[in-house]
């Protein structure tokens, strides 16, 4: 009786496993038929791997992943996308190690912590795998032997936000960091606070937990009592929490709020005047472009001549918000 | 034959074989079977295994330690800060981190044994205290959340040789893992102190009546788990030439999981360090095997959960058979 029930449970587990496995085949065969055919060698043998640090709960990274998947379908190449479950650089470096052992035709990585990831990325480069970095790592990619960086330079983007914020006349600001440990976010805050300081204001960093919106909201609400008149959040997770905190404290419109990255919520907030601006780095391109570049590199050996391929910063303000809203709903911006 | 069947780690050994066969069949072609592939999961297993061995001994002694996760961040950051900010020798920094971990372990042990509060609660408190002070102090001193540049530290080379070198493609931590598992197994099964550990967890009052210093045993085990967390912190700080304030998050649960996979009871008094080491191996193989199998990371946790429940079931099934065979 006992062993029978165990066998039944095992059978169920086997079914679930089988489902999980089949679900993971990246390019659907139907879409390959629609892919543009070139006279060159078939592309379906090209396998690429993408490893980022993006947590699954972060809508920003869903858009990157949409870019990756759409590029894979358009080109008919096989791409696997992986990210550690939490912001864990040791786990991320091991995902890279595993991909290197699989010997893909190309590797795309984000580099939020060069110290921790350099060993694994260099191993990939040494193994002859072409590597392109995206999103974070614009300042270090070259030293690691990475061919090209697709993304925005973080310090300048933060400073740009600071200048725009200072122009509205704020004096006492918060930089809300939702991913403590990410060097790129540290750079954004530094750029932001430096620009504010240059304009004669002061400010500090407030760390919140991205995976827990209640925690984020209440931390911002508590910080607001200190006479803060400007907030920059570094992503949609914390901008939603900051908005909720402003509503809670009744200081909506009195405290200027700017954010990095777009979501439908952020865009409607800008349209409604609750948010001043959003700094847009067009992360869809950070997913899409490297797949195109690496496919071309594998097929023909061609690649842009190096450097940073900037996807941002651009600013979305009240004037431009409505155009962007539709695309954002489709997971493209 | 009966002695083999009686071993608590038999189930874990079967689990290791089952998980290996599964990924060898399913992902063998994509590098799981290659040397480099084996090196990636053995490296994960070796670090988790070091921790799980100590954690399983503490669990046999009847207690939990949840603070080991943030202990990894705290020790790693201590090492990095002392080297980066004060220019200390890497060895001196490692020694200070080790002493710090032993102190925290002792405080955990003293609070648990003196107050009779559940160790689950006490060490959960320590987890938060350590994690918060790591973030707080680091940001206060550096204004950042990562500290790197350990490669420039005094005596980096010798520390790298011991903690972060490679033998072929394999990480040297695998040797540490094996050595410490053998040592812990010997302590647990062949020494008087090992008997005390089983006694302290299985029947503390009876043990106390027989003259076993139960409190001392438990405090020693808390200090051991803390020290093993510090060892992992050292591996990772040296290997990745720096630290960040989140490192080690969740490791406390992974270590308990590995110990349970290895046949250690959550209620204390029964278990095996070899089993915990094998449990860590299962965990490492599942974690990397999923990548080799090309499973989309969205499904990663489903896969991990299913594999782990499966491994525990195999474990339980084998143990059930074992009881039947004994009759």
């Amino acid at each position: 009786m006992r062993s029978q029930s165990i066998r039944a449970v095992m059978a169920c587990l086997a079914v679930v496993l089988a489902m999980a496995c089949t679900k993971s085949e990246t390019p659907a065969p139907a879409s390959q038929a629609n892919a543009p055919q070139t006279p060159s060698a078939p592309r379906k043998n090209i396998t690429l791997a993408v490893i980022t640090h993006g947590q699954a709960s972060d809508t920003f990274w869903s858009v990157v992943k949409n870019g990756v998947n759409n590029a894979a379908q358009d080109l008919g190449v096989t791409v696997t996308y992986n990210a550690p479950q939490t912001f864990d650089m040791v786990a991320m470096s091991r995902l890279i190690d595993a991909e290197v052992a699989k010997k893909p035709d190309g590797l795309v990585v984000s580099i939020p912590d060069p110290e921790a990831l350099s060993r694994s990325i260099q191993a990939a480069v040494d193994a002859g795998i072409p590597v392109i970095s995206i999103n974070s790592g614009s300042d270090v990619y070259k030293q690691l032997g990475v061919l090209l960086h697709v993304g925005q330079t973080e310090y300048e983007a933060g400073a740009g936000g600071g200048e725009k914020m200072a122009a509205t006349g704020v004096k006492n600001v918060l930089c809300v960091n939702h991913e403590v440990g990410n060097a790129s976010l540290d750079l954004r805050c530094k750029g932001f606070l430096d620009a504010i300081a240059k304009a004669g204001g002061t400010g500090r960093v407030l760390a919140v937990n991205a995976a827990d919106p209640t925690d984020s909201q209440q931390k911002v609400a508590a910080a607001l009592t200190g006479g803060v008149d400007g907030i920059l959040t570094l992503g949609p997770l914390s901008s939603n929490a900051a908005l909720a905190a402003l509503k809670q404290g009744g200081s909506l419109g009195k405290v200027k709020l700017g954010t990095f990255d777009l979501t439908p919520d952020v865009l409607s907030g800008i349209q409604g005047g609750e948010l001043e601006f959003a700094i847009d780095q067009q992360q869809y391109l950070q997913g899409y472009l490297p797949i195109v570049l690496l496919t071309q590199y594998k097929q023909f050996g061609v690649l842009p001549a190096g450097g940073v391929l900037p996807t941002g910063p651009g600013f979305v303000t009240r004037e431009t918000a409505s155009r962007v809203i539709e695309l954002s709903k489709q997971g493209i911006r | 034959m009966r002695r083999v069947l009686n071993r608590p780690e038999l189930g874990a050994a079967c689990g290791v074989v089952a998980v290996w066969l599964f990924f060898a069949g399913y992902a063998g072609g994509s590098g799981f079977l290659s040397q480099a592939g084996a090196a990636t999961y053995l490296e994960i297993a070796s670090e988790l295994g070091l921790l799980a061995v100590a954690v399983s001994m503490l669990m046999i002694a009847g207690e939990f330690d949840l603070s080991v996760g943030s202990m990894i961040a705290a020790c790693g950051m201590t090492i990095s800060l002392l080297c980066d900010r004060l220019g200390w020798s890497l060895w001196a920094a490692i020694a200070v981190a080790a002493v710090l971990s032993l102190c925290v372990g002792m405080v955990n042990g003293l609070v648990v044994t003196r107050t009779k509060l559940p160790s689950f609660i006490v060490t959960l408190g320590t987890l938060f205290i350590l994690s918060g002070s790591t973030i707080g102090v680091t940001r206060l001193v550096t204004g950042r959340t990562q500290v790197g540049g350990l490669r420039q530290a005094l005596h980096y080379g010798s520390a790298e040789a011991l903690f972060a070198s490679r033998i072929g493609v394999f990480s040297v931590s695998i040797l540490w893992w094996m050595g410490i598992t053998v040592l812990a197994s010997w302590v647990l099964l062949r020494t008087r102190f090992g008997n005390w550990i089983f006694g302290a967890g299985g029947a503390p009052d009876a043990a106390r009546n027989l003259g076993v210093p139960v409190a001392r045993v438990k405090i020693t085990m808390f200090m051991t788990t803390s020290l093993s967390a510090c060892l992992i912190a050292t591996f990772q700080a040296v290997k990745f030439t720096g630290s960040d304030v989140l490192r080690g998050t969740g490791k406390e649960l992974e270590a308990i999981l590995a110990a349970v996979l290895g046949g250690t009871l959550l209620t204390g008094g029964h278990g095996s360090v070899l089993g915990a080491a094998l449990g860590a191996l299962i965990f490492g193989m599942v974690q990397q095997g999923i990548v080799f199998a090309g499973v989309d990371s969205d499904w990663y946790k489903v896969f991990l959960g299913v594999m782990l429940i499966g491994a525990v079931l195999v474990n339980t099934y084998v143990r059930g058979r074992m009881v039947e065979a004994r009759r």
Side-chain angles (χ1 to χ4, degrees):
Chain A
M1 186 61 205
R2 191 176 150 71
S3 71
Q4 255 180 358
S5 63
I6 288 180
R7 245 174 246 148
V9 174
M10 299 280 259
C12 293
L13 293 180
V15 171
V16 174
L17 270 182
M19 281 164 61
C21 299
T22 47
K23 198 75 185 172
S24 68
E25 309 284 334
T26 316
S31 67
Q32 261 178 30
N34 299 333
Q37 294 297 313
T38 59
S40 54
R43 285 164 168 173
K44 66 170 182 285
N45 292 332
I46 297 179
T47 58
L48 305 173
V50 181
I51 297 172
T52 74
H53 64 278
Q55 298 175 30
S57 65
D58 196 335
T59 50
F60 176 89
W61 287 99
S62 306
V63 174
V64 175
K65 196 176 173 190
N66 287 343
V68 169
N69 288 344
N70 288 357
Q73 286 196 357
D74 291 351
L75 298 166
V77 296
T78 308
V79 183
T80 54
Y81 178 98
N82 264 297
Q85 296 295 310
T86 52
F87 186 80
D88 181 348
M89 287 305 104
V90 175
M92 185 174 165
S93 78
R94 278 164 188 165
L95 288 174
I96 298 175
D97 291 345
E99 289 296 352
V100 171
K102 283 165 78 177
K103 298 193 171 58
D105 294 315
L107 183 65
V108 182
V109 293
S110 61
I111 318 177
D113 183 350
E115 286 278 352
L117 297 176
S118 62
R119 189 180 262 254
S120 297
I121 293 173
Q122 256 154 3
V125 171
D126 292 345
I129 301 169
V131 184
I132 290 182
S133 60
I134 60 169
N135 187 255
S136 9
S138 57
D139 45 343
V140 291
Y141 75 98
K142 239 178 219 159
Q143 290 134 266
L144 302 179
V146 173
L147 298 169
L148 196 73
H149 181 82
V150 181
Q152 73 181 354
T153 48
E154 304 292 356
Y155 180 87
E156 284 74 16
E163 285 158 18
K164 218 166 177 77
M165 187 75 84
T168 68
V170 300
K171 288 282 163 232
N172 184 2
V173 296
L174 282 182
C175 183
V176 181
N177 185 346
H178 62 279
E179 212 167 58
V180 175
N182 182 338
S184 304
L185 297 194
D186 288 338
L187 277 177
R188 286 180 185 177
C189 276
K190 192 164 186 322
F192 174 65
L193 294 178
D194 284 356
I196 292 288
K198 202 180 271 177
T202 59
R204 64 186 181 97
V205 177
L206 176 73
V208 299
N209 177 2
D212 185 347
T214 310
D215 169 271
S216 311
Q217 178 186 340
Q218 296 313 327
K219 279 213 179 104
V220 175
L224 278 176
T225 53
V228 168
D229 56 7
I231 300 177
L232 181 71
T233 58
L234 303 185
L237 285 180
S238 46
S239 71
N240 284 348
L243 256 184
L246 291 181
K247 279 179 192 152
Q248 176 189 344
S251 39
L252 206 59
K254 282 175 233 154
V255 176
K256 306 289 183 199
L257 179 61
T259 186
F260 273 83
D261 306 330
L262 309 176
T263 60
D265 284 349
V266 166
L267 289 169
S268 63
I270 293 173
Q271 233 180 0
E274 294 164 342
L275 275 95
E276 285 296 310
F277 60 84
I279 301 169
D280 181 18
Q281 58 172 304
Q282 306 184 94
Q283 72 272 30
Y284 181 83
L285 289 178
Q286 296 176 7
Y288 197 97
L289 286 180
I291 304 301
V292 176
L293 295 172
L294 285 172
T295 302
Q296 300 299 314
Y297 189 64
K298 170 69 182 169
Q299 280 191 296
F300 312 118
V302 294
L303 196 72
V308 175
L309 209 57
T311 60
F315 289 91
V316 176
T317 56
R318 198 166 184 174
E319 291 77 49
T320 54
S322 58
R323 262 182 292 152
V324 184
I325 284 183
E326 268 314 303
L327 286 168
S328 179
K329 279 181 184 154
Q330 298 164 31
I332 287 170
R333 291 196 67 170
Chain B
M1 184 64 190
R2 177 168 297 179
R3 269 181 61 190
V4 174
L5 286 174
N6 262 327
R7 310 282 308 150
E9 57 269 18
L10 182 66
C14 293
V16 167
V17 174
V19 169
W20 188 85
L21 282 176
F22 177 81
F23 283 114
Y26 190 73
S30 61
F32 183 77
L33 293 174
S34 70
Q35 251 194 12
T40 72
Y41 65 73
L42 283 177
E43 189 175 341
I44 294 183
S46 63
E47 287 181 5
L48 181 61
L50 286 172
L51 190 62
V53 162
V55 164
S56 75
M57 285 172 90
L58 178 70
M59 283 168 69
I60 294 170
E63 304 292 345
F64 290 100
D65 188 349
L66 297 182
S67 67
V68 289
S70 51
M71 189 50 128
I72 294 175
C75 281
M77 209 34 110
T78 305
I79 294 170
S80 301
L81 283 177
L82 288 175
C83 291
D84 186 59
R85 293 287 140 163
L86 303 179
W88 282 31
S89 147
L90 186 48
W91 286 108
I94 291 171
V96 168
V99 170
L100 174 83
S101 72
L102 287 171
C103 290
V104 173
M106 189 157 74
V107 170
N108 276 339
L110 282 172
V111 172
V112 167
T113 50
R114 290 279 164 84
T115 62
K116 306 269 187 270
L117 287 171
S119 54
F120 196 88
I121 300 302
V122 172
T123 57
L124 186 61
T126 325
L127 170 90
F128 288 143
I129 295 170
L130 279 176
S131 156
S133 30
T134 307
I135 296 177
V137 168
T138 307
R139 213 194 270 284
L140 202 67
V141 175
T142 67
R144 309 182 45 194
T145 52
Q146 293 162 302
V147 176
L150 222 53
R151 197 177 292 282
Q152 283 83 44
L154 214 56
H155 302 133
Y156 177 80
S158 54
E160 189 188 28
L162 192 61
F163 295 116
S165 57
R166 289 186 177 265
I167 302 152
V169 290
F170 294 101
S171 162
V172 71
S173 57
I174 298 169
L175 289 181
W176 282 81
W177 177 37
M178 290 174 174
I180 285 178
T181 305
V182 169
L183 177 72
S185 242
W186 177 78
V187 168
L188 201 57
L189 300 176
R190 292 274 179 276
T191 68
R192 193 172 59 153
F193 189 77
N195 264 326
W196 288 358
I197 294 175
F198 279 109
D205 292 330
R208 214 171 278 119
N209 290 336
L210 287 171
V212 175
V214 171
R216 212 178 85 205
V217 169
K218 291 189 173 184
I219 293 169
T220 312
M221 292 327 300
F222 272 112
M223 291 169 73
T224 312
T225 52
S226 277
L227 189 63
S228 70
C230 189
L231 185 58
I232 294 181
T234 309
F235 279 124
Q236 295 193 341
V238 175
K239 206 178 301 176
F240 298 99
T241 65
S243 303
D244 77 62
V245 295
L246 290 184
R247 218 168 260 174
T249 307
K251 274 280 177 293
E252 63 282 345
L253 294 181
E254 290 177 12
I256 291 174
L257 197 75
V260 171
L261 281 177
T264 300
L265 292 185
L266 287 165
T267 46
H270 178 86
S272 137
V273 290
L274 180 59
L278 293 175
L281 182 55
I282 293 178
F283 194 90
M285 286 199 296
V286 171
Q287 200 171 333
Q288 294 299 84
I290 288 167
V291 183
F292 285 112
V295 175
D296 193 303
S297 61
D298 290 355
W299 296 89
Y300 167 84
K301 276 191 177 165
V302 176
F303 209 91
L304 190 65
V306 169
M307 293 292 288
L308 290 172
I309 293 174
V312 174
L313 281 176
V314 170
N315 197 335
T316 317
Y317 177 72
V318 170
R319 218 180 307 165
R321 271 295 162 88
M322 179 183 95
V323 173
E324 275 171 36
R326 234 186 291 175
R327 282 198 191 116

